[in-house]
Amino acid sequence: MKALSNFFTALVQRFLPDPFVFALILTLILFVSGIVFTPHGPIEMVQFWGSGFWNLLAFAMQMSLVLVTGHALASSPLVKKWLVNIALLAKTPAQGVILVTLGAAMACMINWGFGLIVGALFAKEVAKRVPGSDYRFLIACAYIGFLTWHGGLSGSIPLVAATPGNPMEKTAGLIPLSDTIFTGYNLFITLGLLIVLPIMTRLMMPTGKEVVEIDPRLLAEDEMAPATVVETTSSKPTFAVRMENSRFLSLTIALLGYSYLIYYFATNGFKMDINTVNLLFFATGILLHRTPLSYMNAVSNAAKGTAGILIQFPFYAGIQGMMELSGLGGKLTNAFISISNETTFPFLAFLSSGVVNFFVPSGGGHWVVQGPFIMPAAEQLGVDPGVAAMAIAYGEAWMNMAQPFWALPALAIAGLGARDIMGYCVTTLIVSGFIFAIGLTFF
C-alpha cells in the first residue's frame, strides 16, 4: 500500500498542474473532443461554452454557502474545543492519522463543507500535538474522508433529486431520501468506507525519513478580527456596537431559523435539501458564535476558502454546457449504458459518472448532464431510480480523489498545494472502488 501511494505521489508531483490550470486544460480538451466526436464545429462549441458559463451561479451560491456556513460552525469556540479535546486522544502519528481520517469521514456525512473544514482544522490540531506527524499526509487524510459525503445528509444529488422543481423532476419524478440515503446499500457503502479508510491511511502513512517537515508557521492559529469594536470617543458603547455584540439578537435569529425548520419538517416530512441544510448550519453557527459580529468575522474568514471555487465554477459550468449541448456527455454515458444489463447497470453508471466528474466536478452538475440519460435507461432496464441516482452520486464522490477541485478549501486552510496530497488520494480511489462496486452490485 505504501509503495503504491509513493508511486502515485511521485507521479502527481511531476504531472499535476494547479487546479485552475487543470480546469483550463480540461476546457480545451472538451472543446476539441466536441469538434472531433460530435457533428458540431468550433463556432458552435464556443457558443455552447459561452451559453453555459454562467448557468450554475445559483448552485454555486448554494455550494459556497454550504462551505461558508460549515466553516463558520467548525470555527465556533465550542466546536474548536471539541476538536482540541479529540486531538488530545492521539498519542502517536498512527493514532493521529486514524483519528483524522475517521473524524473527517464522519463529519462529511453530516455536511460536506463542515467535514472538509473540520477535517483540515482537526489535522492542524493533531499536527501541533503529535511529534513526528506528516502534516501533508494528515491533510490528505482529511480530504480522503470526503469520500463519504454523497452518502450523507448533504449529498447534493439525493437532496436535489428530492427537491421539487429540480431539472430531472419531469423525467424521473421526485426521489425521496428513503430511496437513496436511507437504504441498505448506502448503509453498507458508508460503513464500509468508515471501516476501510482509516485502515488504509494507516498503511499508507509515511514513516522515518519519508516524513515531510512543514514550516511551523503553517500551524499557527488563524488570525481573527476582534469580536468587539469599542469607540474611543465615548466611554460607553454606542447603539451600533451593542447591536453588533448582542447575544439576544443572535439567539433570536437562531430561534427564527429553527422555528422555520420545525415548521418545514412538520408540514413536508423529513425532506432535507440544500437550502434546509444551509439554514440549519447558519442557525447553529450564529448561535454558537453568540454575537452577530463574531459570526460575521467567522464568515469573512471562511469566505477566503471559496476563492478557488468561485473562479473555477464558471469554467466547469462552461464545460458542462459543452458536454450537455454538444451531446458529448450523452455519448460518454451511453457508451457505458449500451453494454449494461439490470445487474451491471448501477456499477457501469457509477463508472460513467467518475469519467464525467473530471469535466463536471459537481454533484448538481452531474444530475443535469447524466440524469437525462441514466434515469430513462434505468426505467427501461427495471433498475430502481434511487439506485440509479446514487450511482451517479457515488461516481462523483469517488472520482473526487483524482479531481482536486473540492480539495481547494482544505488546501487553503493548510497552506499546501494539490500536489502535496493527491498521490495518496489516487491510491484511495483504487481501493475504495471495490467498496462501491460491491455495494452497487450485490445490495
Side-chain angles (χ1 to χ4, degrees):
M1 186 70 69
K2 186 181 293 187
L4 187 64
S5 65
N6 287 341
F7 169 77
F8 283 118
T9 297
L11 198 67
V12 164
Q13 287 284 346
R14 185 173 182 180
F15 293 108
L16 181 67
D18 179 85
F20 179 57
V21 177
F22 187 66
L24 300 183
I25 293 173
L26 289 179
T27 299
L28 296 179
I29 290 175
L30 198 66
F31 181 83
V32 174
S33 298
I35 297 173
V36 174
F37 298 109
T38 73
H40 303 289
I43 295 178
E44 289 175 302
M45 292 302 295
V46 169
Q47 292 174 342
F48 297 155
W49 178 77
S51 63
F53 199 76
W54 303 116
N55 278 356
L56 296 179
L57 286 182
F59 185 69
M61 182 63 175
Q62 289 176 315
M63 293 296 100
S64 296
L65 284 173
V66 168
L67 176 61
V68 168
T69 56
H71 186 295
L73 178 58
S75 65
S76 65
L78 180 60
V79 175
K80 289 187 71 173
K81 182 179 179 181
W82 288 347
L83 292 177
V84 172
N85 290 337
I86 297 173
L88 290 173
L89 297 175
K91 307 301 181 183
T92 66
Q95 292 176 0
V97 163
I98 293 173
L99 274 177
V100 169
T101 306
L102 186 59
M106 294 180 67
C108 284
M109 289 174 58
I110 300 173
N111 177 273
W112 70 266
F114 179 68
L116 279 176
I117 303 308
V118 163
L121 294 175
F122 188 35
K124 292 181 72 171
E125 294 297 334
V126 171
K128 291 176 187 177
R129 290 162 175 77
V130 182
S133 295
D134 189 312
Y135 183 44
R136 60 172 191 171
F137 184 66
L138 286 173
I139 297 299
C141 292
Y143 186 58
I144 286 170
F146 189 46
L147 262 173
T148 64
W149 86 278
H150 238 141
L153 296 179
S154 67
S156 60
I157 286 180
L159 291 181
V160 169
T163 301
N166 81 81
M168 285 303 300
E169 182 179 0
K170 292 183 180 179
T171 302
L174 293 179
I175 304 174
L177 295 183
S178 58
D179 292 344
T180 53
I181 293 176
F182 303 112
T183 57
Y185 64 86
N186 187 57
L187 179 63
F188 168 82
I189 289 174
T190 303
L191 286 178
L193 291 173
L194 289 175
I195 294 170
V196 172
L197 292 182
I199 297 173
M200 186 191 63
T201 52
R202 170 62 183 88
L203 294 175
M204 288 194 298
M205 186 184 72
T207 56
K209 294 182 179 180
E210 296 175 344
V211 175
V212 176
E213 296 293 334
I214 300 298
D215 187 341
R217 289 176 296 180
L218 293 176
L219 302 178
E221 293 285 351
D222 295 331
E223 293 185 4
M224 299 290 293
T228 304
V229 178
V230 179
E231 297 180 353
T232 57
T233 57
S234 174
S235 59
K236 295 183 179 180
T238 64
F239 172 80
V241 172
R242 290 198 302 271
M243 291 298 98
E244 291 169 346
N245 295 276
S246 171
R247 296 182 181 180
F248 174 78
L249 189 57
S250 289
L251 177 62
T252 303
I253 296 300
L255 290 176
L256 183 64
Y258 290 136
S259 297
Y260 173 77
L261 289 173
I262 293 172
Y263 166 78
Y264 177 85
F265 292 137
T267 55
N268 297 279
F270 190 71
K271 297 180 180 179
M272 296 189 71
D273 56 23
I274 299 172
N275 294 329
T276 55
V277 168
N278 279 335
L279 181 57
L280 175 63
F281 279 84
F282 168 75
T284 305
I286 197 170
L287 177 67
L288 294 182
H289 277 280
R290 305 178 72 180
T291 69
L293 188 57
S294 176
Y295 185 71
M296 194 60 211
N297 287 335
V299 169
S300 298
N301 193 48
K304 299 174 184 177
T306 67
I309 296 172
L310 292 175
I311 194 60
Q312 290 183 49
F313 223 101
F315 284 94
Y316 282 107
I319 291 172
Q320 178 182 322
M322 288 191 289
M323 290 198 73
E324 180 183 356
L325 298 176
S326 71
L328 190 59
K331 285 182 175 292
L332 285 171
T333 302
N334 284 332
F336 288 91
I337 293 175
S338 63
I339 59 173
S340 65
N341 54 40
E342 182 181 358
T343 302
T344 61
F345 179 85
F347 179 63
L348 290 175
F350 162 79
L351 290 179
S352 71
S353 180
V355 174
V356 171
N357 186 64
F358 267 110
F359 303 98
V360 187
S362 158
H366 267 56
W367 192 235
V368 173
V369 171
Q370 290 199 284
F373 303 94
I374 294 290
M375 302 312 294
E379 182 180 4
Q380 183 177 354
L381 291 172
V383 176
D384 183 271
V387 174
M390 289 305 290
I392 302 173
Y394 293 143
E396 191 277 338
W398 178 61
M399 195 54 70
N400 280 333
M401 293 297 100
Q403 224 292 6
F405 182 74
W406 291 113
L408 294 175
L411 293 173
I413 290 174
L416 300 176
R419 287 189 291 268
D420 292 316
I421 70 169
M422 293 308 295
Y424 303 113
C425 297
V426 172
T427 306
T428 305
L429 175 83
I430 296 173
V431 175
S432 62
F434 291 99
I435 299 175
F436 288 111
I438 294 172
L440 286 170
T441 304
F442 300 106
F443 283 82

